[in-house]
Structures are given as C-alpha cells and as structure tokens.
Amino acid sequence: MDRKAKYESKIKKHVMVVDDESINRQMLGYIVSQDYEVTYAENGKEALELIKAQKKMLSLILLDILMPVMDGFELLKELKSDEELKKIPVIVLTSEESAEVKSLELGAADFIKKPYDMPEVILARINRIIELAEGRDIIKATERDNLTGLYNREFFYEYAHHLDQYYGDWSMDAVVMNVEHFQLINELHGRQFGDQVLKSVADMIRMILSSDTDGYACRYEADVFYIYCRHLGDYEKLQGQLSKWINELSNEQGIRVRMGVYPQVDRSISIEQRFDRARLACNNGRNKYMQPVTYYDAKAHENSLFSQKLIGDIGDAIENKQLKVYYQPKYNIKGDKPVLTSCEALVRWDHPEYGLISPGQFIPLFEHNGLIQLVDHFVWEEAAKQVRKWKDEIGRAVPVSVNVSRLDLYDPDFETGMVTLLVSNNLDSSDYLLEITESAYAEDTTQVVEVVNRLRDQGFKIEMDDFGSGYSSLNMVSELPLDVLKLDMRFIKNIHTDKKAYRLIELIMEIADFLQVAVVAEGVEFEEQYKLLKEAGCDVIQGFYFSKPLPASEFEKLLIEE
Ligand code: C2E
Ligand code: CA
Ligand code: CA
C-alpha cells in the first residue's frame, strides 16, 4: 500500500453487524474489522436503538434476516420509513435465495451469501456499496487537487466532517501551513520549481499523516495547506523536520513553511471557523518576526471580537447618548493653597452590555479607522454645552480642555468647526483648551505646526499632552507652537521614591522655563508627589490625589464649593 493510501485507510468508517448467532457475528466481524470499525447487535430491536444513536457515523449495516425479537425484514422496514435512517445502506446476510426478492423490495442494497466464503469478496462488496452511497454527496473525479494529490477544499471539509462524526471522542487539531515567500520562490526559480516545492510539502504532509497522527489534508489555495488531524504535541519539532526535508528535496536552503495551529479544537463551532482560527494564528506568526509555529490564542481572539463589537456599536452609542463626559479638575499650585483652574473632559462609554468602559479600551481602536472623530466631536460639543450651562446656572465655570486626536488635525474643517462650536455656545476661546498628544506632532510636523499656529491665532491655548512619552526630540520641542507642557504620567510615578526620577522633573522644569511654557503634571496620586512637584516649580496638577474624573453633576459641586 503506498503512503497515500495508508494514511487514508487509518481513518476507519463504521459498519454494524446485526446477527443473532454469536459465531456469525464473530466471523463476519473478523473480516470486516480489517477495514472498518465494527459495532454489533443481536437482534433488530437492539440494532434499531444503536442505529438511531449512531446514525451520523454509520456507513453501512450488515443485516441477518432470521432473528428473534425483531427480524431483519421488520428492521429494514423501520429503517426505510425514516428520512434519515433510510440513507444508510443495508446489505442483507442470507442463505435463502427466496429472501432476496423481498429484501430488494424493502430497499436493501445488496446481499452476502451465507456461509461466508472469500473475505476479499465480502470486503469488496461492502466497499462498493459504501462508495455508491457516498457517491450521492461526493463525486470522486474532482476530489483531488491535480498538482499535489491532496484533497481540494470542499472534499476536505466533507471528510473532516465525516471524521468528526466517526470519531467524536478524538481530540483534534486544525493546522494551517503556509510556504513562506512563495511568490518570491516562483519568481526567482520559476513556476516549475514552485510546483515542486508544493508537491514536496504535500508529500511531507502525507508522511506526517501516516506516521505521526491520523487525519486529512488539503491544498486550500496556492501555497496554503489545511490539515485536520488528531492532536499532536510538538509542532515545533515537526516544523523543523519539515523545513529540513523540504530544503533537502528542493536542493535549496532557506525555504520555510510556517504553521498556525488551533490545538484541541472546540467542536461546537464549524469546521470552517476552526480553520479560521488556525489561519489567524498563522497570519499572526508572520507578524511576529516570522515565528515558525504560532498557536491560536483564545484571549487575543476574544479581544479582537470585543474590538469588532465596539466598532460596530459606536454609531448607535453616540446616537443614544451612551457616551458620557467626565471632568477631572486641574489645580494651580503656585500659591499657598491649590486653586481649581480648569478641567479635562474625558469620555466614558456606558455600554448596554458591558457597563462603563474606559476610553483606553476604545479610543485606540477608533484611531485606526477614523471613528475617533465621531467621538471627539461628541465630546467637544458636550463639553462646550456644559461650560455654557455652568456659566448660566451657577454663574461660574473653569476652562475645559478637550483631547484632540491626530486625525482631527488633518481634517480640513477642524478649525472652522472649533470656532463654530464656540460661537454657537457663546463662549470665548479662553474657555477652551486643546490637548494635543506629543506623538501627533511627530508625524507630519510641518502640517501640524501650521494647524496649531492657526488655532493659536484664534486664541486657543495648546497643551502638549503626554510630553516625554518618547516621540519628540528636545530640539523639536523648542520649535513647536505650544502653551503648556503636560508631562507624561510615567515621569511622576516614582518621583517620591527615586532620586533620579525627581532630578528628571527638575530638568524638565528648566526646559519649560527656557521655552517659557507652563507645566501640568498629571497622574499625581500621593501627597509626596504633590509636594515635590510644587518644590520643583510645577504650575498645575491633575490627579487622583485631588480628584478622579467626575460626572458633570459632581464636578459642579466642586465649582460651587470653591
Ligand atoms: P490622557 O489624555 O492622558 O488622560 C489622562 C488619563 O489619566 C485619564 O484616563 C485619567 O482618568 C487618568 N488619570 C488622571 N489622574 C490619574 C491618576 O492620578 N492616576 C492614574 N493612574 N490615572 C489618572 P482615562 O480617562 O482613562 O483616559 C485615557 C486616555 O483616553 C486619555 O489619556 C486620552 O488619551 C484618551 N481620551 C479620553 N477621552 C478622550 C476623548 O474625548 N477624545 C480623545 N481623542 N481621547 C480621549
Ligand atoms: Ca489628555
Ligand atoms: Ca496625558
């Protein structure tokens, strides 16, 4: 038997032998079990129950006629009257010619004569009937991929499905293999060589399936192979072997096969979905510096589903006012007592399913696809209305700073939008501060500088957010238009425990002095931090030490208290 045939025969189909005589069951069982997984029943009634339980995995029934309790004819009638069960082919076991006509009429597919003669003849009949029955769904001619001889994808899925049914208790892996840089291999060495590589991969997959595990494989597309097989431990080792073989076979160094593995698949999801997961892993492997074997990561997948959900939900969220704007006070600490001088508007999402979600979970998502602008516009508008309301209702407000995203800066309507917002709420540009993160400056400095200059001409004050988070060089900072440096939180974190960290703050204060800009420190949580910052000459402080971000109604109390 060649390797190809061998690996496929290892996955045995199920056949049931129904006969009341033990010796007959044993004899027939002995023959059939060479090629098939066999289940036994002693009479029609017992058989019917078993058949109902195993209907999805049974490929054929070998049925004796004369039996106690329920005989073969009765069982045959039962089977043929059931929509599902009638699809399972039945071969009648009989020594009487007279039984043949009746069996045929009742829908039997074939006969095997008792006493049993040549085992090969029996097996051949069984094979043929099963093939005929399966032929209804599967047409042999197009089963295989011409180049590699592996299954093509439709049949692969079909067989994988069968395998699930026959071996429901096996722990299975879904594996995707991809030839690294296949395009390049084709271009450099020609298509023929490329074909050779694909054939070698297929050969090796067959080898794996005949010696290491059981399963099916297909060429899914050009240089992508799918394998559905019994759980294997060490894919790294396998991948190493594979790469070695392929290089030997192709007399070429450096051809590599990358693998994505979804081990011990969850059978409650479809076969296609299982391979989507393996494929996801395989693609992730490419991103991770060509990691040769990558496993599907349930956590990462969950995260990406969550992200997709949020992206899908944000439109409704804005419409239904699920976004809430919180306000975190900023205190000027120059004088004896800290004074409330402004606040930062920070968005939260009160999601109907997940509850309150913090912006760290959704803002970065939306920065990739432009949705961030929807959120920002909503927050700007809310904040402007809120300041107006405070002015009108309690006769006092503080300037509010809003976060401006990188994408907003490239929006041609950004400036006019800002000005319109102020005008329509009857506010002044001094009521509104703009926080622009340092990284936005770094991207297209000239363009950003132009926009920011125009905004300052309109009277807006600009705070550079997250200053020192790693993008701008000091050289650049000296040339940027800005009014306030807002230190990245990480600078503050350890100043009360680490002398060097504090020294760094002192240096930054000197730079700010030189640039003649004010400094805001955020993320201040402890009194020691506050005192040290005051000592270093910091102007404004924001942080849990004073207050967390608050809903408008609570922030209002602070305003009234002051
Ligand atoms: P950010 O602009 O740097 O905002 C400061 C973050 O620090 C806020 O997190 C705030 O709640 C948090 N924070 C304040 N004081 C402390 C403290 O003492 N300790 C600690 N550990 N954290 C403190 P939040 O509200 O979760 O916002 C996270 C980020 O999301 C913001 O960082 C900002 O980049 C972004 N963001 C929030 N609202 C908006 C918005 O309306 N538009 C845009 N584009 N981004 C927003
Ligand atoms: Ca900010
Ligand atoms: Ca910040």
Side-chain angles (χ1 to χ4, degrees), residues 277-288:
R277 292 181 174 189
R279 201 161 179 144
L280 199 77
C282 195
N283 291 342
N284 286 344
R286 182 175 44 217
N287 304 335
K288 284 184 193 152

Side-chain angles (χ1 to χ4, degrees), residues 326-329 346 348 543-551 555 558:
Y326 277 43
Y327 300 87
Q328 187 175 33
L346 292 160
R348 271 96 186 89
F544 297 169
Y545 173 61
F546 285 120
S547 167
K548 295 202 162 172
L550 303 169
F555 187 82
L558 286 184

Side-chain angles (χ1 to χ4, degrees), residues 360-376:
Q361 285 185 272
F362 57 90
I363 295 281
L365 277 182
F366 298 161
E367 276 167 345
H368 292 302
N369 47 31
L371 290 170
I372 185 70
Q373 287 197 270
L374 292 180
V375 177
D376 282 346

Side-chain angles (χ1 to χ4, degrees), residues 14-15 28 62 101 133 228 260 314 326 365 368 391 398-399 413 430 450 453 461 478 487 499 504 510 521 523-524 549:
H14 289 233
V15 166
L28 200 54
L62 294 167
V101 178
Y228 191 56
I314 187 65
Y326 277 43
L365 277 182
H368 292 302
K391 284 194 174 190
V398 286
D413 298 328
S430 63
E450 271 175 33
N453 273 333
K461 292 262 185 294
S478 69
L487 300 189
K499 275 221 169 74
L504 205 55
E510 278 174 40
V524 178

Side-chain angles (χ1 to χ4, degrees), residues 344-346 401-403 435 465-466 486 522 542:
E344 177 176 4
L346 292 160
S401 56
V402 293
N403 289 286
E435 295 194 9
D465 204 357
D466 309 323
K486 194 167 183 189
E522 68 177 327
Q542 174 184 352

Side-chain angles (χ1 to χ4, degrees), residues 172-361:
M172 302 300 294
D173 297 347
V175 182
V176 170
M177 284 194 190
N178 191 332
V179 180
E180 211 92 86
H181 307 303
F182 186 66
Q183 222 38 49
L184 215 61
I185 294 173
N186 263 339
E187 275 175 40
L188 285 176
H189 306 284
R191 275 200 82 89
Q192 220 180 345
F193 180 82
D195 284 354
Q196 193 49 51
V197 170
L198 296 177
K199 279 193 217 166
S200 306
V201 174
D203 280 342
M204 280 171 305
I205 290 175
R206 275 191 278 271
M207 184 111 87
I208 292 167
L209 288 176
S210 71
S211 58
D212 297 280
T213 181
D214 306 308
Y216 292 112
C218 77
R219 182 158 78 116
Y220 189 80
E221 59 194 28
D223 61 334
V224 180
F225 298 83
Y226 280 16
I227 305 169
Y228 191 56
C229 64
R230 259 186 120 157
H231 179 55
L232 272 176
D234 199 348
Y235 280 98
E236 281 78 7
K237 193 170 138 211
L238 211 62
Q239 196 278 341
Q241 274 173 359
L242 227 129
S243 290
K244 207 170 133 231
W245 286 336
I246 203 169
N247 279 307
E248 277 166 14
L249 270 166
S250 59
N251 282 325
E252 184 74 27
Q253 287 301 308
I255 294 176
R256 265 189 5 160
V257 175
R258 185 157 35 86
M259 288 169 126
V261 183
Y262 172 32
Q264 298 177 299
V265 300
D266 171 1
R267 286 184 188 240
S268 69
I269 60 173
S270 72
I271 295 262
E272 286 84 348
Q273 284 173 308
R274 296 173 213 170
F275 278 92
D276 286 346
R277 292 181 174 189
R279 201 161 179 144
L280 199 77
C282 195
N283 291 342
N284 286 344
R286 182 175 44 217
N287 304 335
K288 284 184 193 152
Y289 310 104
M290 301 290 179
Q291 187 172 305
V293 181
T294 313
Y295 294 89
Y296 165 75
D297 178 346
K299 190 82 208 146
H301 185 58
E302 212 175 278
N303 288 344
S304 90
L305 290 180
F306 180 63
S307 302
Q308 279 320 110
K309 175 99 171 86
L310 294 186
I311 288 171
D313 287 351
I314 187 65
D316 285 347
I318 290 176
E319 203 151 291
N320 302 329
K321 298 240 167 188
Q322 289 166 15
L323 295 188
K324 311 282 175 210
V325 181
Y326 277 43
Y327 300 87
Q328 187 175 33
K330 299 181 186 178
Y331 286 85
N332 188 310
I333 56 165
K334 279 299 191 195
D336 296 342
K337 256 180 59 189
V339 183
L340 178 65
T341 53
S342 64
C343 62
E344 177 176 4
L346 292 160
V347 70
R348 271 96 186 89
W349 183 348
D350 192 3
H351 194 282
E353 275 169 65
Y354 309 121
L356 212 60
I357 312 177
S358 70
Q361 285 185 272

Side-chain angles (χ1 to χ4, degrees), residues 95 114 127 136 141 212 324 334-335 345 440 451 518 526 539 558:
S95 48
K114 289 183 182 179
N127 287 342
R136 281 199 295 264
D212 297 280
K324 311 282 175 210
K334 279 299 191 195
V451 177
F526 308 109
D539 304 273
L558 286 184

